[in-house]
Amino acid sequence: PEDSGTSDTPILYACFNQEGATISGGRRITGWKAADVNGRKVWAVELPDVKAGKWYPRQLFVNNERRPRTRLPKEGYFEFAGLPQMTDKTPWNEGQTEAAFKASDIKKWRNLGDVEVVALHFWIESRLPLAEVNEAENIAKFARKSTFRLTDAHSAGQFARYCVENVFEALDSPGQWYVDRPTGMLYYMPMPGETPEDTTVIVPQLRQLLCGVGDRKNDRPVKSFVFLGIDRSHADW
């Protein structure tokens, strides 16, 4: 409230002389070293906070462009082959902790707990870290329950589409990146022409960039202020 204006005198936060400014929720990453991953040249850097379990980056920006984590399949989606926990009485809003997959779609990849299954069902996506993979029976178990039933809309016979993110073995295309939590290593495969010297790499760390909190009890709202021409970038989700 103390930073608020009034209807007659609103507070304006703007760039001086249109110079430009950015409120960033990210951390700039430097200190890259050359490395080989999956037989390909990449950049690598150790992030101590990741290794200590204090930080788990899920996004990365290079020269203000969002870069994708590793993803399987490269294009399109897989589709679950079945839901062992589902019966004909399972309601649409009851989630699952395991699903059957088609042969070879999911494997016992390195750092299995870092791999996220991104399931598209109903009007949402469930992000499900892998806990266990049985390749003999083609069953994947998740570290958390899906938000709703893992079917496509209200048809119980049509299973949800999904992709898999943050697979170390899938780091093979320029612009992709992977974070290895146990070792704290961040790997990035540069685009053609990119060098560490002329590249700004930012990893989001904050989920909120601006937070206005009023005082309801004493009738002191946050009000009458404007942000003009100030970019807001690099927020984590």
Side-chain angles (χ1 to χ4, degrees):
E2 60 269 27
D3 295 313
S4 294
T6 68
S7 57
D8 295 328
T9 57
I11 303 298
L12 173 64
Y13 296 91
C15 301
F16 175 75
N17 198 28
Q18 298 183 339
E19 289 180 349
T22 298
I23 297 175
S24 173
R27 180 193 300 184
R28 184 170 183 177
I29 306 300
T30 59
W32 296 98
K33 300 182 184 301
D36 288 303
V37 171
N38 301 327
R40 300 175 186 270
K41 302 294 184 183
V42 302
W43 302 349
V45 64
E46 181 177 333
L47 303 177
D49 285 355
V50 173
K51 188 175 183 179
K54 300 178 181 179
W55 188 27
Y56 182 24
R58 285 186 169 88
Q59 298 187 76
L60 182 141
F61 290 83
V62 178
N63 292 338
N64 280 328
E65 291 184 354
R66 191 194 307 271
R67 294 286 193 258
R69 293 201 296 181
T70 59
R71 181 190 192 276
L72 294 173
K74 296 292 185 183
E75 296 182 0
Y77 296 91
F78 297 130
E79 185 176 310
F80 291 122
L83 298 174
Q85 298 169 322
M86 188 181 75
T87 70
D88 57 358
K89 296 182 180 180
T90 301
W92 67 271
N93 59 349
E94 181 176 317
Q96 286 78 48
T97 57
E98 62 182 66
F101 56 88
K102 298 175 183 178
S104 77
D105 285 354
I106 297 178
K107 300 180 180 180
K108 286 186 177 181
W109 292 297
R110 168 176 170 172
N111 295 338
L112 200 61
D114 285 346
V115 178
E116 285 189 333
V117 172
V118 185
L120 307 182
H121 55 136
F122 294 87
W123 59 90
I124 64 169
E125 66 176 29
S126 286
R127 290 188 168 263
L128 307 169
L130 284 173
E132 184 181 331
V133 172
N134 185 326
E135 293 189 60
E137 299 181 6
N138 293 336
I139 297 293
K141 295 186 178 181
F142 312 123
R144 66 167 66 102
K145 181 182 287 189
S146 61
T147 307
F148 300 141
R149 190 180 62 201
L150 289 171
T151 57
D152 189 2
H154 291 276
S155 173
Q158 186 173 351
F159 302 113
R161 295 172 297 154
Y162 70 96
C163 64
V164 186
E165 291 188 357
N166 206 47
V167 176
F168 176 82
E169 291 84 347
L171 183 60
D172 59 7
S173 302
Q176 288 184 327
W177 61 280
Y178 170 83
V179 61
D180 188 324
R181 283 197 292 178
T183 65
M185 296 301 297
L186 171 64
Y187 300 102
Y188 171 66
M189 186 173 293
M191 299 287 285
E194 289 180 343
T195 65
E197 293 74 26
D198 63 6
T199 302
T200 300
V201 180
I202 294 179
V203 176
Q205 191 166 12
L206 301 180
R207 293 190 176 187
Q208 293 180 322
L209 302 182
L210 295 170
C211 189
V213 181
D215 183 354
R216 182 185 296 273
K217 182 178 179 180
N218 295 301
D219 192 25
R220 298 178 66 230
V222 176
K223 63 179 183 177
S224 301
F225 65 90
V226 177
F227 283 86
L228 180 63
I230 299 177
D231 289 336
R232 296 167 300 280
S233 302
H234 315 131
D236 196 15
W237 53 266

